Amino acid sequence: MDQDTLRQAVSNDYSGNGSGARRARKRSSGESSGDGQTLRSSGRQSTTRVKRSNNPPPGQSKRKATETEEEDEQAEKKYRKCEKAGCSAIYPVCFASASDRCAKNGYTSRWYHLSCGEHFCNECFDHYYRSHKDGYETFASWRKVWTSNGKSEPSLKAFMADQQLPFWVQCTKPDCRKWRQLTKEIQLTASLAAAYRCGMKVNNVKIEGPDQCSQPEDLRVAEVSESWWHSMLILPPLLKESPAGAFLSAYYPDCVGMSPSGSPCNVSMTELRAEPCRAVQPQIPGLCPYFQPFYQPNECGKALCVRPDMMELDELYEFPEFSRDPTMYLALRNLILASWHKNCKEVLTAEKCAQHIIVRGLVRVCCVQELDRVLHFMTRKGLINTGVLAVKQPLLPERYHSKKVIVIGAGAAGLAAARQLQNFGTQVVLLEARDRIGGRVWDDGSLGVTVGRGAQIVNGCVNNPIALMCEQMGIRMHKLGERCDLFQEGGRATDPAIDKRMDFHFNAILDVVSDWRNDKSQSQDSPLGEKVQEIKKNFLQESGMQFSDLEEKVLQFHLSNLEFACGSTLDQVSARFWDHNEFFAQFSGDHTLLTKGYSVLLHKLAEGLDIRTNCPVQAIDYSADAVKVTSSNGSQWTAQKVLVTVPLTLLQKNAIRFNPPLPERKLKAIHSLGAGIIEKIALQFPNRFWDSKIQGADYFGHIPPCPEKRGMFSVFYDLDPQGKQAVLMSIMSGDAVSAVGDLEDSEVVDECLKVLRELFTDQEVPDPLNYFVTRWSKDVWAQMSYSFVKTGGSGEAYDILAEDVQGKVFFAGEATNRHFPQTVTGAYLSGVREASKMAAV
């Protein structure tokens, strides 16, 4: 019922055919202060006169009309309606019964409206509000607590809603589920809400009688489901004992959906304003330290983090009704997020969350009803019920189920999307060209420890979904230390002061690049390498400084790290957009080594999925309603939607034919990105010859002897931090990739051993027992490591690649994730993103 219709109904109720018409109206908004087990009516029963004749004697009609008017006047004196415009309660009933003179269901000079089914009388108002009344001390004590903890007005209405309204609880019997009003003395707890059944013994009081579930539900409960009910609520719900409380102790509780009377604010806002840089994470026993779902006050720039006091844009789009007052939404969202992070190993259901919604009044019914929508939204978005979670029942209602989806590519993106969609209830088939899953994640155990031929490091663990999956599986990650000693050929360690000074100059050069690009258009772009050399030359000329030979070599080391990060020589990389993702919040915290590799996570994601290996897809025809996918051996599949997660290179080389061809806008974006390449070498030795010199560091650096050797084994990683196995891994980046491209593996190993023997002149470097060298550039199903923005390109290309075509063909992969490109995390999140889109379309 819309607002105008509601007001018209109320207007009709109080005018027209006298008291008889009012009494005859269906009573749907009755109130009671009892236990709510029986049906309550809002109207008063009275007899009405029935006319015996259609033609009364002269004068009698006028006399009858006068009597009716007098009856109405008497009724108005005896009973008073709620003055809140649009309130559906005909004859309000006081829920408080606090004053000896409480009007109960009789006359009061004024009714105070909390909701369409909940009012208190003027006498009970005075009982608490007037300083000479018995209830004043109770109200004053509450007000003191509320004022010290909260920000909202400690009004008497807020007091009544927070302290005096009765609780409502839902029967947990599946065939009942009726709502019951508890008596005033009963306090609702999560355990009571989780176990409540109609007629159960509460506080040693058991309701006698036959099957209590057969008793009808209070009529006011049905009104809560009406679209207008929420708009007639005077105060938003503020939860007590919310699971979010431990996460949000630095906030005003009433700004994040919690009651100030039950959620003490441990850090005053005065303190926070005095220390604007302070952003201390609360210590919650048993919580993974990498789980920080909420921004703390004065904190910003953290990936996958939400403001607990503000709705995100996608939330406002999904729930526009909360745009004016988001308190109820925030209360539910914060409760759900906190509950999920406290236990991410089990599916979070509405039933588990509902028992923690502790709030008085009918608004609890409203909160529990809204909970389903919020929970489904957060599940679809991959904010909860995600990772390697296995489910027995679909997580989303039937309306979210796509009939069938085909996912092409069983890398991190494809597996993430397929797992999400199958958990939602969608039928998924995953087609993989290789004879294995994982794509550019490929772990090798032949050297005695797990070595990632592809990715193995997690950059920034706070809120990283990789950390979430490790927590779900009980896998420990090895935190990488910050120490990285730089060694020159000849074995000499570089003075840390020189490294620090050149690191400063290196970052200063990049800062100048950032300033240069501010007013440059795409057509004015320049290769990053060229711009770096130009800025360096200008700086040396203007300052009159000259870098020493060693300082120049250290600078080359830092440039090789930049080429490693970009996956390319710097002459290919855009100076305007080389770090385009840094404009967005990135993952913070520890950098870690997955000692067991990424594969254990991806294989867990793959459990129970319908994966067809050795199925290279060569054509996608989306010209009809259904999409037809054809493999190289002629096999065909049809589905309503298809997700393409192949590496960027395969799209650039038209490895898959699209009919109709992809839009020109998407093709342009595909070719504006570069396919970066790095290669790895791993060597197993008979002993840990480096230990005495490295002294427990996780890695060490190699200063290139000349610019031409830049990127050739610039950093060596110790892949057994426990010190039992002797395995080193190193990287080839930039020009070094092409330099080793035509060498045999044994020749690459010889080059690497030459470097190690130059760095460890005081130790004997033995020949390796075993080794491998990667060849991603020649891998037919990859031909790349990760993407970068080419000169003249734009970071927007990632977003364009992520756009679906006609709501039928979708795209995922690291090269479609503008915020987190080049990483397994970015690939995984792109799959979660597309699963959400496909479920919603």
Side-chain angles (χ1 to χ4, degrees):
M1 184 186 297
D2 62 31
Q3 199 71 15
D4 291 338
T5 307
L6 178 63
R7 290 198 177 99
Q8 185 62 43
V10 174
S11 175
N12 291 342
D13 182 46
Y14 288 108
S15 62
N17 298 322
S19 60
R22 183 163 64 246
R23 295 180 190 120
R25 181 178 182 267
K26 181 180 178 181
R27 277 43 168 186
S28 62
S29 54
E31 304 182 25
S32 107
S33 56
D35 60 17
Q37 289 272 333
T38 56
L39 185 67
R40 301 291 171 178
S41 170
S42 61
R44 293 190 163 273
Q45 299 301 317
S46 63
T47 57
T48 56
R49 294 175 181 156
V50 180
K51 295 180 182 179
R52 297 172 182 257
S53 169
N54 291 330
N55 299 301
Q60 189 171 335
S61 177
K62 185 176 181 179
R63 188 164 59 248
K64 291 283 186 184
T66 303
E67 289 175 3
T68 304
E69 289 171 7
E70 289 174 355
E71 286 178 2
D72 283 349
E73 288 175 10
Q74 291 298 321
E76 289 302 324
K77 288 179 181 178
K78 196 172 182 180
Y79 314 109
R80 191 180 188 90
K81 65 181 181 181
C82 174
E83 295 175 2
K84 171 73 174 173
C87 180
S88 59
I90 304 169
Y91 298 114
V93 177
C94 181
F95 64 78
S97 298
S99 169
D100 292 339
R101 299 175 59 235
C102 174
K104 301 192 184 304
N105 54 3
Y107 176 82
T108 183
S109 58
R110 178 180 176 183
W111 285 109
Y112 291 88
H113 174 107
L114 292 183
S115 79
C116 283
E118 295 161 323
H119 299 80
F120 61 96
C121 67
N122 195 58
E123 287 71 20
C124 288
F125 176 95
D126 286 347
H127 175 77
Y128 289 110
Y129 194 72
R130 306 301 174 192
S131 58
H132 62 283
K133 297 285 188 178
D134 293 343
Y136 178 76
E137 192 172 324
T138 303
F139 171 57
S141 175
W142 170 89
R143 184 171 56 190
K144 183 178 180 181
V145 173
W146 188 280
T147 304
S148 64
N149 292 330
K151 196 173 184 180
S152 57
E153 181 188 355
S155 66
L156 192 82
K157 283 190 175 183
F159 167 76
M160 293 299 237
D162 189 68
Q163 298 290 310
Q164 299 301 313
L165 273 173
F167 285 107
W168 289 77
V169 64
Q170 191 173 26
C171 179
T172 56
K173 285 186 180 178
D175 56 346
C176 178
R177 308 297 292 165
K178 289 175 183 172
W179 285 91
R180 305 301 188 190
Q181 177 180 307
L182 298 179
T183 51
K184 280 185 63 177
E185 65 273 10
I186 298 176
Q187 294 290 319
L188 182 64
T189 62
S191 57
L192 175 58
Y196 181 81
R197 294 197 170 195
C198 295
M200 75 178 290
K201 191 175 182 180
V202 180
N203 291 358
N204 296 319
V205 177
K206 186 178 189 305
I207 299 168
E208 300 297 335
D211 179 17
Q212 293 295 324
C213 288
S214 64
Q215 297 295 321
E217 187 176 62
D218 192 307
L219 290 175
R220 287 175 291 168
V221 173
E223 280 195 340
V224 177
S225 303
E226 298 289 347
S227 58
W228 49 264
W229 191 90
H230 181 260
S231 66
M232 298 296 293
L233 196 62
I234 292 297
L235 297 166
L238 297 174
L239 309 186
K240 294 187 178 183
E241 308 300 330
S242 171
F247 293 83
L248 306 177
S249 58
Y251 284 90
Y252 286 122
D254 41 348
C255 291
V256 291
M258 299 186 301
S259 170
S261 70
S263 312
C265 181
N266 296 336
V267 183
S268 74
M269 298 306 285
T270 306
E271 289 181 79
L272 290 169
R273 291 190 190 101
E275 300 180 70
C277 296
R278 175 179 175 178
V280 180
Q281 285 295 325
Q283 300 300 310
I284 302 173
L287 186 76
C288 173
Y290 297 138
F291 290 0
Q292 298 174 20
F294 303 105
Y295 278 120
Q296 296 303 305
N298 304 317
E299 191 178 31
C300 62
K302 200 159 64 176
L304 301 192
C305 209
V306 300
R307 284 277 302 270
D309 57 345
M310 186 179 294
M311 291 177 72
E312 305 275 314
L313 286 176
D314 56 347
E315 293 174 318
L316 287 166
Y317 181 81
E318 190 82 9
F319 301 94
E321 66 271 28
F322 292 112
S323 58
R324 287 184 61 189
D325 185 352
T327 307
M328 181 186 292
Y329 179 83
L330 294 175
L332 297 177
R333 179 251 267 162
N334 295 344
L335 182 155
I336 291 168
L337 263 185
S339 299
W340 165 247
H341 285 93
K342 282 186 172 182
N343 183 8
C344 62
K345 296 180 181 180
E346 296 178 0
V347 174
L348 183 64
T349 63
E351 289 74 24
K352 290 178 184 177
C353 292
Q355 66 192 51
H356 293 289
I357 298 176
I358 307 299
V359 64
R360 292 177 179 272
L362 285 165
V363 74
R364 182 168 190 269
V365 180
C366 186
C367 286
V368 172
Q369 290 174 350
E370 288 293 334
L371 183 67
D372 268 338
R373 288 179 62 213
V374 180
L375 193 78
H376 290 151
F377 169 76
M378 296 176 72
T379 297
R380 178 167 61 82
K381 285 287 185 178
L383 300 173
I384 61 168
N385 292 333
T386 187
V388 297
L389 207 62
V391 305
K392 296 178 181 178
Q393 300 292 331
L395 295 176
L396 297 184
E398 184 72 31
R399 66 181 181 276
Y400 285 105
H401 303 177
S402 300
K403 292 181 180 177
K404 187 175 181 181
V405 170
I406 295 172
V407 177
I408 300 170
L415 291 169
R419 164 57 54 207
Q420 289 287 103
L421 288 167
Q422 183 157 300
N423 283 358
F424 293 167
T426 302
Q427 184 182 352
V428 185
V429 174
L430 208 157
L431 307 179
E432 168 55 52
R434 306 174 189 270
D435 59 0
R436 64 172 179 83
I437 66 168
R440 285 167 278 176
V441 167
W442 185 14
D443 292 333
D444 190 310
S446 65
L447 307 185
V449 295
T450 299
V451 184
R453 288 175 172 264
Q456 192 170 6
I457 290 173
V458 183
N459 293 305
C461 289
V462 172
N463 296 335
N464 197 310
I466 305 303
L468 170 76
M469 289 188 276
C470 286
E471 181 73 9
Q472 289 173 324
M473 294 183 67
I475 294 174
R476 292 189 63 182
M477 297 182 285
H478 172 71
K479 177 183 175 181
L480 293 172
E482 295 182 3
R483 184 169 143 237
C484 181
D485 295 332
L486 303 185
F487 295 99
Q488 306 160 44
E489 296 198 353
R492 185 177 178 183
T494 304
D495 184 348
I498 294 176
D499 180 26
K500 187 175 181 180
R501 182 161 65 249
M502 295 316 295
D503 182 57
F504 170 81
H505 285 299
F506 169 69
N507 284 301
I509 289 171
L510 294 181
D511 287 342
V512 176
V513 173
S514 296
D515 293 339
W516 164 84
R517 68 188 175 193
N518 283 339
D519 60 348
K520 298 296 185 292
S521 66
Q522 199 162 335
S523 62
Q524 295 173 297
D525 198 4
S526 175
L528 179 59
E530 181 182 300
K531 186 55 61 178
V532 165
Q533 290 304 318
E534 177 189 318
I535 293 168
K536 173 193 166 190
K537 180 181 177 182
N538 291 342
F539 166 72
L540 293 176
Q541 286 179 346
E542 292 172 9
S543 66
M545 285 181 61
Q546 191 66 42
F547 292 150
S548 69
D549 183 52
L550 177 57
E551 287 175 331
E552 185 64 46
K553 289 177 181 178
V554 173
L555 180 61
Q556 293 298 318
F557 169 80
H558 288 294
L559 288 171
S560 74
N561 277 339
L562 183 58
E563 290 181 323
F564 174 30
C566 294
S568 170
T569 55
L570 299 183
D571 61 350
Q572 300 288 317
V573 180
S574 165
R576 289 182 71 236
F577 288 103
W578 71 273
D579 61 345
H580 65 99
N581 59 307
E582 295 295 331
F583 293 102
F584 307 101
Q586 295 298 298
F587 292 104
S588 59
D590 299 336
H591 299 307
T592 58
L593 177 74
L594 285 177
T595 51
K596 293 190 176 182
Y598 272 103
S599 290
V600 290
L601 303 180
L602 298 194
H603 279 90
K604 188 68 176 176
L605 277 176
E607 281 185 9
L609 297 177
D610 183 359
I611 302 175
R612 318 285 175 89
T613 53
N614 298 304
C615 279
V617 170
Q618 67 176 19
I620 297 174
D621 187 336
Y622 62 100
S623 57
D625 288 342
V627 185
K628 184 166 66 176
V629 175
T630 306
S631 70
S632 58
N633 66 6
S635 299
Q636 291 188 339
W637 294 266
T638 58
Q640 280 66 46
K641 296 167 188 173
V642 170
L643 175 62
V644 179
T645 73
V646 300
L648 174 69
T649 326
L650 301 190
L651 294 175
Q652 291 175 334
K653 297 185 177 181
N654 298 316
I656 298 176
R657 297 191 309 276
F658 290 88
N659 181 40
L662 293 176
E664 188 63 33
R665 165 183 165 88
K666 186 177 284 285
L667 292 173
K668 184 178 178 182
I670 287 170
H671 291 285
S672 74
L673 296 179
I677 290 284
I678 64 162
E679 300 291 3
K680 286 184 170 185
I681 182 173
L683 307 114
Q684 180 186 21
F685 293 97
N687 58 69
R688 297 173 59 86
F689 61 85
W690 59 88
D691 268 349
S692 59
K693 194 166 187 174
I694 304 307
Q695 297 181 339
D698 290 307
Y699 35 68
F700 56 90
H702 160 222
I703 300 297
C706 60
E708 293 73 32
K709 293 284 188 178
R710 185 174 84 195
M712 186 74 80
F713 320 120
S714 56
V715 177
F716 287 88
Y717 294 82
D718 181 349
L719 288 187
D720 187 15
Q722 303 304 317
K724 296 177 182 177
Q725 298 292 327
V727 179
L728 292 177
M729 181 272 289
S730 192
I731 304 291
M732 292 152 279
S733 61
D735 286 326
V737 174
S738 55
V740 302
D742 295 327
L743 298 181
E744 297 292 330
D745 287 0
S746 59
E747 294 176 303
V748 178
V749 170
D750 289 341
E751 290 296 318
C752 189
L753 288 174
K754 286 179 187 176
V755 170
L756 285 171
R757 284 165 181 157
E758 281 289 339
L759 301 184
F760 294 90
T761 53
D762 296 337
Q763 289 82 21
E764 180 183 347
V765 178
D767 287 338
L769 301 174
N770 203 352
Y771 62 82
F772 70 72
V773 178
T774 65
R775 302 289 182 178
W776 288 107
S777 60
K778 297 178 181 178
D779 184 304
V780 65
W781 301 119
Q783 303 180 44
M784 66 178 293
S785 299
Y786 41 77
S787 61
F788 65 93
V789 180
K790 291 196 295 191
T791 305
S794 164
E796 187 186 5
Y798 286 90
D799 288 338
I800 297 172
L801 252 72
E803 293 173 355
D804 64 89
V805 180
Q806 297 181 12
K808 291 185 282 189
V809 183
F810 297 76
F811 294 84
E814 59 86 17
T816 72
N817 194 325
R818 187 176 186 176
H819 291 222
F820 315 112
Q822 307 175 321
T823 61
V824 178
T825 296
Y828 172 86
L829 287 173
S830 74
V832 172
R833 176 198 70 213
E834 294 307 302
S836 175
K837 282 166 60 176
M838 286 187 283
V841 171

